[in-house]
Amino acid sequence: MPNISNKGMNMPESPIRKLVPFAESAKKNNIEVLHLNIGQPDIKPPNEVLKKIKNFDISTIEYTHSAGIESYRKGIANYYNNIGINVSYEDIIVTTGGSEALIFSLNSILDPGDEIIIPEPFYANYNGFAILSSVKVNPIISKIENRFKLPSSKEFEKLINPKTKAILICNPNNPTGYLYSQEEIHELAKIVKKHDIFLIVDEVYREFIYDENNHYSVLNELEIIENVIVIDSISKRYSMCGARIGCITSRNKNLIQTCLKFAQARLSPPTFGQLAAMEALKTKDIYFNNVIGEYEKRRDLLVSELNKIDGVYCPKPSGAFYCIAELPIDNADKFCQWILENYSINNKTIMMAPASGFYTKENMGKKQVRIAYVLNTEKIKLAISILKGGIKEYKRIQLKGSGIN
Ligand SMILES: Cc1ncc(COP(=O)(O)O)c(C=O)c1O
């Protein structure tokens, strides 16, 4: 049999999905699984978008321009202009989700063996995209005891070497929910300017900001406009994950031209998705106010209830719809599997993502889980009681020494 490539062999499985067989087997045993493990929102897309999809009036399903439908790109530019960011449609390439925007960006700025610095824990697929692009991730630790704030400039400087071509952050962050402040973005801008490297900021959760906070986009850093690449997507913004539409936004003309070559090789982003996305751009503020209000309610409930459980610590996130909690257990990978296989209340159990999958350094995040608050408050209450009971039972069994492997 011919061999599989090293790249293929080294491609990591998604840590978010590695417990799926255990969830499936729970479901076969008539246990309902509350999914706190994935970022698939239960929120409805805007009604107008659903209406548009039902009434698509097209006779052919053609490729679009490789950079995306021009009027849609103009619509995205207008969206940015409305939030005070001055970009033109020529600074935008429409992609098949934020995922493809990341792949094109990495391949446009890094050669095999080059390095990218990413604060960890980080969105696990960054690892997969790095392997796909043959580049090395140089992680820098952000700590739960500091609420996952940006590591100091000194720490970043220690990692920068001639192979370092970029820093990548996600703001607000998946998996931590941390919102980087204007000051933190300024600090990064200084480093990037000093070393003349790229700063990729994944802003796919830009709309989901809570309390009195505001999102500060790196596109406002006018001194480094040639260094900045923003990754964007409609997946979470309008709850349209399956439309598969994202974009790259950068005022670096060379970067855009290079990304366009990758875009031409894959011909076109999805035509249907773009048509739906064009409609989504008309979404009124009231939709976002409702959605953000709902997520904020869920976050408040989840975080306060988590912190009431003996030994649990969960910093309150300011954005996105994830949090990381440290649990009073020995190993979150083991615990998340155990709870799916062994613990339920009224035939309901929970699935969480062990946080180890969001770190590259060994033994980091061993006791942490990522919880996505993509379920309504009733389900979150239920999930918390299952978690609380599960921790108690898991510890009792361990104390008894009956052995959980
Ligand atoms: C941080 C982050 N970036 C990018 C993506 C990619 O999303 P999509 O390809 O659906 O736009 C996701 C999806 O969950 C994400 O969480």
Side-chain angles (χ1 to χ4, degrees):
M1 193 165 61
N3 288 334
I4 294 299
S5 67
N6 287 333
K7 193 184 262 195
M9 306 267 266
N10 291 334
M11 187 72 185
E13 258 188 306
S14 165
I16 303 168
R17 289 167 206 272
K18 70 183 172 191
L19 294 173
V20 166
F22 303 101
E24 278 169 356
S25 134
K27 286 174 194 169
K28 274 193 197 128
N29 292 325
N30 292 323
I31 304 283
E32 185 188 336
V33 178
L34 300 175
H35 284 275
L36 303 165
N37 59 312
I38 45 170
Q40 171 63 60
D42 62 335
I43 303 278
K44 263 183 73 178
N47 274 333
E48 292 70 20
V49 174
L50 295 176
K51 231 187 272 164
K52 176 83 185 179
I53 293 171
K54 281 187 196 127
N55 297 305
F56 269 150
D57 181 18
I58 44 180
S59 50
T60 55
I61 305 168
E62 297 171 352
Y63 292 124
T64 70
H65 190 291
S66 299
I69 300 171
E70 191 173 304
S71 58
Y72 177 49
R73 290 163 70 205
K74 286 183 171 158
I76 304 173
N78 189 44
Y79 156 87
Y80 282 119
N81 298 164
N82 285 339
I83 54 170
I85 294 165
N86 183 19
V87 291
S88 105
Y89 79 97
E90 289 164 316
D91 304 324
I92 294 164
I93 292 185
V94 180
T95 53
T96 308
S99 306
E100 192 180 62
L102 281 156
I103 294 168
F104 288 175
S105 299
L106 294 182
N107 279 285
S108 296
I109 63 173
L110 295 119
D111 284 313
D114 281 346
E115 297 182 9
I116 182 163
I117 301 173
I118 315 180
E120 68 176 357
F122 57 74
Y123 174 53
N125 281 334
Y126 292 162
N127 245 335
F129 300 144
I131 288 175
L132 195 62
S133 319
S134 302
V135 305
K136 183 178 164 221
V137 173
N138 225 345
I140 181 166
I141 293 284
S142 58
K143 297 190 179 130
I144 192 166
E145 56 269 31
N146 293 333
R147 297 175 45 249
F148 298 107
K149 76 179 174 94
L150 195 73
S152 71
S153 302
K154 242 199 211 151
E155 296 298 313
F156 275 98
E157 296 269 2
K158 276 188 213 159
L159 293 184
I160 294 178
N161 66 60
K163 283 192 172 297
T164 309
K165 299 293 158 61
I167 294 173
L168 164 60
I169 64 162
C170 177
N171 190 30
N173 193 279
N174 172 10
T176 66
Y178 186 82
L179 174 67
Y180 294 106
S181 66
Q182 187 166 339
E183 290 68 37
E184 286 172 307
I185 301 291
H186 281 335
E187 281 310 304
L188 273 182
K190 278 190 221 156
I191 301 172
V192 158
K193 191 168 178 200
K194 178 172 162 197
H195 296 277
D196 203 16
I197 56 178
F198 282 96
L199 178 55
I200 308 175
V201 184
D202 181 339
E203 296 189 358
V204 305
Y205 295 95
R206 183 187 300 114
E207 258 71 24
F208 307 109
I209 309 294
Y210 312 119
D211 309 318
E212 302 303 306
N213 295 296
N214 289 310
H215 181 257
Y216 181 75
S217 173
V218 71
L219 291 165
N220 290 305
E221 289 290 324
L222 299 182
E223 286 206 17
I224 53 161
I225 57 170
E226 304 261 289
N227 305 68
V228 165
I229 305 171
V230 161
I231 304 300
D232 219 331
S233 168
I234 67 161
S235 290
K236 318 290 159 142
R237 181 167 305 143
Y238 310 104
S239 234
M240 289 171 67
C241 296
R244 307 309 304 131
I245 296 294
C247 72
I248 299 165
T249 305
S250 175
R251 287 165 290 200
N252 180 321
K253 302 278 177 228
N254 285 341
L255 182 272
I256 289 291
Q257 272 165 23
T258 309
C259 286
L260 183 58
K261 290 191 277 180
F262 287 102
Q264 286 164 346
R266 66 79 165 103
L267 304 179
S268 157
T271 304
F272 280 135
Q274 289 180 84
L275 295 175
M278 268 160 104
E279 194 64 28
L281 283 174
K282 299 178 196 155
T283 304
K284 306 239 165 40
D285 285 351
I286 177 109
Y287 173 83
F288 291 111
N289 295 342
N290 288 338
V291 173
I292 292 164
E294 175 62 26
Y295 279 131
E296 193 167 300
K297 209 164 61 182
R298 295 173 179 189
R299 176 207 60 166
D300 288 348
L301 174 72
L302 176 69
V303 174
S304 73
E305 292 303 309
L306 279 172
N307 284 312
K308 281 184 201 159
I309 304 174
D310 216 14
V312 173
Y313 172 59
C314 177
K316 193 175 187 179
S318 299
F321 36 72
Y322 307 97
C323 64
I324 290 217
E326 183 136 325
L327 306 182
I329 40 120
D330 57 340
N331 181 313
D333 281 76
K334 227 163 72 179
F335 176 70
C336 290
Q337 180 180 328
W338 174 87
I339 207 162
L340 277 170
E341 288 187 299
N342 298 289
Y343 191 80
S344 59
I345 296 180
N346 296 334
N347 285 337
K348 291 184 173 64
T349 190
I350 54 172
M351 184 168 182
M352 300 175 294
S356 59
F358 301 99
Y359 291 88
T360 53
K361 290 205 169 116
E362 242 179 79
N363 287 328
M364 289 302 300
K366 248 183 105 175
K367 298 182 178 185
Q368 297 170 9
V369 288
R370 186 195 71 170
I371 298 177
Y373 40 99
V374 290
L375 301 178
N376 64 34
T377 47
E378 276 317 298
K379 288 190 174 159
I380 287 178
K381 276 186 207 155
L382 215 63
I384 292 280
S385 60
I386 296 166
L387 175 63
K388 190 173 169 184
I391 292 174
K392 209 165 150 195
E393 180 64 5
Y394 180 85
K395 285 170 77 168
R396 191 185 67 76
I397 294 173
Q398 279 200 320
L399 265 180
K400 246 176 59 188
S402 63
I404 295 168
N405 300 315

